[in-house]
Amino acid sequence: MAVRSDLRTFKNAAWLGWQMEANWTDPFLFVIYSIIKPIAGTLILVFMYLVITSGATNTLFFSYMYVGNAFYMYVADVLFGVTWVIHDDREHYMTLKQVYIAPISFYMYIFGRAAIRIAITSMGVFLTLLFGVLVLGVDINLAAVDWPLLALALVLGLACLCIMGLALGGISFLTAKHGQGINEGVAGVFYVLAGVIFPITILPGWAQTVSRLLPVTYWMEAVRRGLEPAVMAGLPGSTGLQSLSNLQLMLALLVSTVAFLFISLGIFKYADKVARRKGKIDWTTTY
Amino acid sequence: MEPAVETKKLTRVFNPKKKKEGASVRALNSVDLKIEKGELFGLLGPNGAGKTTLLKILSTLLLPTSGKAYVSGLDVEKDYVEVRKRINMVSGGEISGYGLLTVRENLWMFSQFYGIKSSIALERIDDMLGKFGMLDKKSEKVRTLSTGQRQKMNVIRGFVTDPQILFLDEPTLGLDVNASRTIRDFILDWVRKSERDKTVLLTTHYMAEADQLCDRVAIIDDGRILACDSPENLKKLVKSETTLRLDVTTMKDQRVLGTIPGVEKFTSTDDLENNITSLRFVLGDESAISDIVSGVAKGGSKILALRKTEPTLEDVFIKLVGKGFE
Ligand SMILES: Nc1ncnc2c1ncn2[C@@H]1O[C@H](COP(=O)(O)OP(=O)(O)O)[C@@H](O)[C@H]1O
Ligand SMILES: [Mg+2]
């Protein structure tokens, strides 16, 4: 019964997300937001890379960086997306309280809405990778891809991002519209500490310790091992996680994901309680 | 059988964000209420009385500062998951809705959160859109609706999920006369035809609405319930008797009128210039009215105007609070 109700909520939320985000009434805007924007964002990074290294794009390190950057889109999108859903429902559509008092699992509502974001972001990630391979010579060889590893890493990693999004969603019950700072902070921490564009080994020792607590660090490594095994094998210097076997790596990802699940649920429940105590569910920002 | 709604010493205090911004507000002050299943119950009070605060607590949006609130015997603070299955809430002046969805889609989506079968939900939606005169809007995007239409859509949203207990916070706020009447008729019909299965708690600051619609009314001011009874009984609190005023063509012999049983006081003034006699009766018993009318006819006069003035809930409020509304 509860499972059926959760599935239904997930489906409805996903349907709603699709109606709202895949705004086909304006395909032009949709294409810009979901496809052109991510590629443009990537090009800025590529350009900076070229200026700094005054080098070429066909190095192993460039491929390492490019793939990390492409998958980081998921991190930013899911984390921002959940918070955005809550702010939008509350302040723009003013429907948050209606959804909130409905007899549904709010988690499922969030996950349903996030699923659509993930689907749309996936398109951006795919096109960015395609662009990298075709235009910039990023080293991805389809025959060499470790598909099972990649698939498992993607599933676990995206679940983990949704879970972290939940905690941020709870916090955004309590913050105003302009309270995006927390998300930017969290996303920024991951960008720097999780080995997105450079290996964590260039970080100071204490920062590396933090890196090893973050699931995203393991996720980045797993995705790269799956997608570009040759790059990972040939990279000069260490990514910091090379001593872990694939199995150990996935276990580390699983364990840190589960740990974050408990942390996130705790944060969400606490924030939910505070929101009810302070009456923030139907509260709108007044300037 | 447990009451639909019960509160015990329910209190809610709002603290200012910063200490220096002023004192805390006691929006609800030890409120005790009991609403039985099947009642159409009204909470009548001026702006700022605490009506919305009470409804927010009952609909699990807000926690009490102290005291208890139960819906269907369930504690709103602890058993909120169960409470939510049994309720819905609509706030008047509510212009919410997903602008990109059509009216029908928006209503359908909310019905799905309550596990209503799609076909039943759509049937209900079309039926209500029809009754609310909005059937032609069903495929329009929500963002194209006027505020009044959005408000009607939200009222429909409350009924579509078929709750056991529906909380309506000023459902007719700012609507025109016709729309208000449609909504009132619908509420009344919904409660009555359920045969004491459905309960509505509505708030209003329209005296007439509370009077006409509700089985019982609680008068709230400044976070306190001042009185709670049927509108008839509340009006008995102000012991002004029924007053009847009649304008008739000049009436020469008026003696008979003073002797009619049930007439407690009788005065008359003649306006010879306009050929009008104004009669004023204070009645202890309203059955005297027909005798008065036939008495006037026997006296050979024609009735030009007839007005009955009765105490209103406004009089009750003034008596209780010492000031009027607004
Ligand atoms: N979130 C809040 N923060 C501070 N004060 C509030 C808040 N909500 C309501 N109040 C105050 O509580 C009192 C009751 O408000 P409310 O329940 O909205 O009254 P009503 O619905 O009867 O007009 C008012 O004085 C109002 O200013
Ligand atoms: Mg109010």
Side-chain angles (χ1 to χ4, degrees):
Chain A
M1 192 54 208
V3 174
R4 258 181 63 191
S5 149
D6 284 350
L7 278 178
R8 195 180 57 225
T9 303
F10 181 87
K11 229 176 69 189
N12 279 317
W15 176 83
L16 177 63
W18 180 250
Q19 302 297 321
M20 314 238 296
E21 309 222 13
N23 186 0
W24 299 109
T25 55
D26 200 343
F28 177 69
L29 265 185
F30 181 67
V31 165
I32 296 232
Y33 266 90
S34 339
I35 297 163
I36 314 245
K37 210 179 101 203
I39 293 184
T42 304
L43 284 179
I44 293 172
L45 187 80
V46 170
F47 182 71
M48 289 195 309
Y49 174 87
L50 291 178
V51 168
I52 292 168
T53 62
S54 58
T57 59
N58 57 356
T59 64
L60 290 177
F61 182 69
F62 181 78
S63 294
Y64 173 94
M65 182 204 77
Y66 194 89
V67 167
N69 188 66
F71 279 87
Y72 179 77
M73 278 185 221
Y74 280 121
V75 179
D77 250 34
V78 174
L79 296 189
F80 282 99
V82 169
T83 313
W84 187 247
V85 163
I86 288 176
H87 281 307
D88 232 21
D89 274 10
R90 180 166 60 191
E91 309 219 8
H92 187 93
Y93 301 110
M94 290 175 280
T95 45
L96 185 68
K97 65 173 167 181
Q98 302 165 1
V99 176
Y100 184 83
I101 65 165
I104 56 169
S105 155
F106 201 79
Y107 305 149
M108 283 299 147
Y109 178 74
I110 292 288
F111 292 153
R113 295 283 298 265
I116 293 305
R117 280 205 88 93
I118 288 175
I120 293 172
T121 304
S122 293
M123 234 169 17
V125 172
F126 175 76
L127 290 171
T128 303
L129 289 173
L130 193 67
F131 180 83
V133 171
L134 296 181
V135 181
L136 301 171
V138 170
D139 189 2
I140 295 174
N141 174 4
L142 285 190
V145 170
D146 184 343
W147 293 107
L149 179 65
L150 180 64
L152 195 62
L154 264 183
V155 169
L156 257 182
L158 292 177
C160 180
L161 288 178
C162 288
I163 285 165
M164 289 193 272
L166 193 64
L168 291 176
I171 291 170
S172 63
F173 274 159
L174 308 175
T175 57
K177 203 175 211 155
H178 44 262
Q180 287 282 1
I182 299 172
N183 297 22
E184 277 166 21
V186 171
V189 164
F190 287 143
Y191 198 63
V192 175
L193 293 183
V196 174
I197 52 169
F198 49 78
I200 60 172
T201 42
I202 72 162
L203 294 168
W206 63 266
Q208 285 190 42
T209 312
V210 178
S211 299
R212 283 169 212 278
L213 293 175
L214 302 175
V216 178
T217 311
Y218 301 105
W219 187 53
M220 283 289 159
E221 176 89 7
V223 164
R224 285 185 175 118
R225 282 192 199 177
L227 195 63
E228 40 177 12
V231 171
M232 294 304 273
L235 209 61
S238 171
T239 63
L241 299 174
Q242 268 158 345
S243 58
L244 297 179
S245 70
N246 282 354
L247 183 66
Q248 285 170 324
L249 184 65
M250 294 311 282
L251 271 178
L253 176 56
L254 182 67
V255 168
S256 56
T257 298
V258 171
F260 266 88
L261 177 64
F262 285 110
I263 296 171
S264 285
L265 286 180
I267 292 177
F268 185 90
K269 285 216 160 108
Y270 175 75
D272 179 49
K273 184 104 185 185
V274 174
R276 265 182 90 194
R277 195 162 64 228
K278 297 199 169 169
K280 298 241 167 174
I281 304 296
D282 64 340
W283 169 75
T284 47
T285 313
T286 43
Y287 292 99
Chain B
M1 194 177 62
E2 72 274 343
V5 172
E6 187 170 17
T7 68
K8 290 180 176 159
K9 296 208 177 342
L10 187 66
T11 300
R12 171 70 211 203
V13 178
F14 289 107
N15 291 312
K17 281 226 179 60
K18 297 184 197 100
K19 278 266 160 8
K20 57 178 180 245
E21 273 178 13
S24 56
V25 177
R26 201 163 280 262
L28 293 174
N29 195 345
S30 202
V31 166
D32 290 304
L33 263 187
K34 201 188 242 183
I35 302 170
E36 299 300 337
K37 243 177 124 179
E39 273 196 292
L40 208 176
F41 191 95
L43 196 61
L44 173 69
N47 287 333
K51 305 181 294 294
T52 300
T53 304
L54 179 63
L55 257 57
K56 280 190 190 173
I57 290 176
L58 292 174
S59 57
T60 77
L61 275 173
L62 187 69
L63 291 177
T65 305
S66 66
K68 287 279 175 195
Y70 302 92
V71 169
S72 252
L74 299 158
D75 185 335
V76 292
E77 193 167 347
K78 293 201 197 78
D79 307 324
Y80 59 93
V81 176
E82 285 301 311
V83 170
R84 286 175 188 166
K85 291 179 187 164
R86 293 163 171 76
I87 62 158
N88 203 349
M89 158 144 93
V90 178
S91 315
E94 196 171 311
I95 50 162
S96 57
Y98 292 105
L100 285 163
L101 302 184
T102 67
V103 172
R104 210 164 181 250
E105 285 171 339
N106 192 70
L107 291 168
W108 170 81
M109 193 196 68
F110 279 102
S111 77
Q112 294 313 291
F113 287 154
Y114 290 75
I116 311 282
K117 212 171 147 227
S118 241
S119 56
I120 295 178
L122 291 175
E123 207 175 291
R124 230 179 250 163
I125 290 166
D126 288 352
D127 174 55
M128 271 187 272
L129 284 173
K131 283 189 176 135
F132 282 55
M134 278 180 56
L135 206 51
D136 57 328
K137 296 282 175 208
K138 75 174 179 184
S139 304
E140 303 281 324
K141 298 262 190 254
V142 170
R143 60 157 183 248
T144 66
L145 298 184
S146 70
T147 17
Q149 289 164 339
R150 279 177 182 232
Q151 193 169 336
K152 284 199 267 183
M153 180 187 77
N154 273 301
V155 171
I156 294 174
R157 179 179 53 74
F159 288 102
V160 157
T161 66
D162 200 31
Q164 288 176 24
I165 301 161
L166 181 57
F167 301 115
L168 298 170
D169 194 8
E170 314 219 25
T172 61
L173 186 73
L175 289 179
D176 64 51
V177 182
N178 283 328
S180 301
R181 185 177 306 134
T182 308
I183 288 177
R184 282 182 203 133
D185 288 349
F186 193 88
I187 296 170
L188 194 63
D189 188 50
W190 190 74
V191 173
R192 292 291 178 261
K193 89 176 172 222
S194 79
E195 290 168 2
R196 301 206 73 79
D197 189 42
K198 305 285 183 198
T199 309
V200 166
L201 167 53
L202 70 84
T203 75
T204 182
H205 69 272
Y206 301 128
M207 308 277 183
E209 183 164 273
D211 195 350
Q212 289 162 19
L213 200 56
C214 300
D215 299 321
R216 282 197 305 148
V217 172
I219 295 182
I220 184 172
D221 184 51
D222 205 12
R224 289 173 199 273
I225 304 286
L226 303 175
C228 175
D229 212 327
S230 66
E232 293 72 37
N233 286 343
L234 284 174
K235 283 182 282 191
K236 281 184 194 149
L237 289 176
V238 284
K239 286 211 185 57
S240 93
E241 301 80 354
T242 305
T243 309
L244 184 72
R245 290 165 191 278
L246 279 174
D247 289 342
V248 299
T249 52
T250 305
M251 196 169 172
K252 293 196 184 78
D253 188 4
Q254 301 170 352
R255 276 170 305 176
V256 54
L257 296 178
T259 64
I260 293 172
V263 173
E264 287 180 358
K265 233 194 221 157
F266 162 58
T267 55
S268 82
T269 44
D270 289 316
D271 179 355
L272 291 174
E273 208 172 309
N274 291 312
N275 188 25
I276 292 176
T277 300
S278 294
L279 307 169
R280 184 171 170 274
F281 302 88
V282 174
L283 304 178
D285 183 353
E286 295 192 8
S287 65
I289 294 176
S290 61
D291 292 339
I292 293 171
V293 170
S294 55
V296 169
K298 258 186 234 151
S301 288
K302 278 208 189 92
I303 295 179
L304 301 171
L306 183 150
R307 272 192 322 280
K308 197 173 95 176
T309 52
E310 278 185 272
T312 62
L313 287 181
E314 179 136 36
D315 301 324
V316 180
F317 188 84
I318 290 170
K319 183 184 160 120
L320 290 170
V321 183
K323 62 176 165 65
F325 256 38
E326 285 149 324

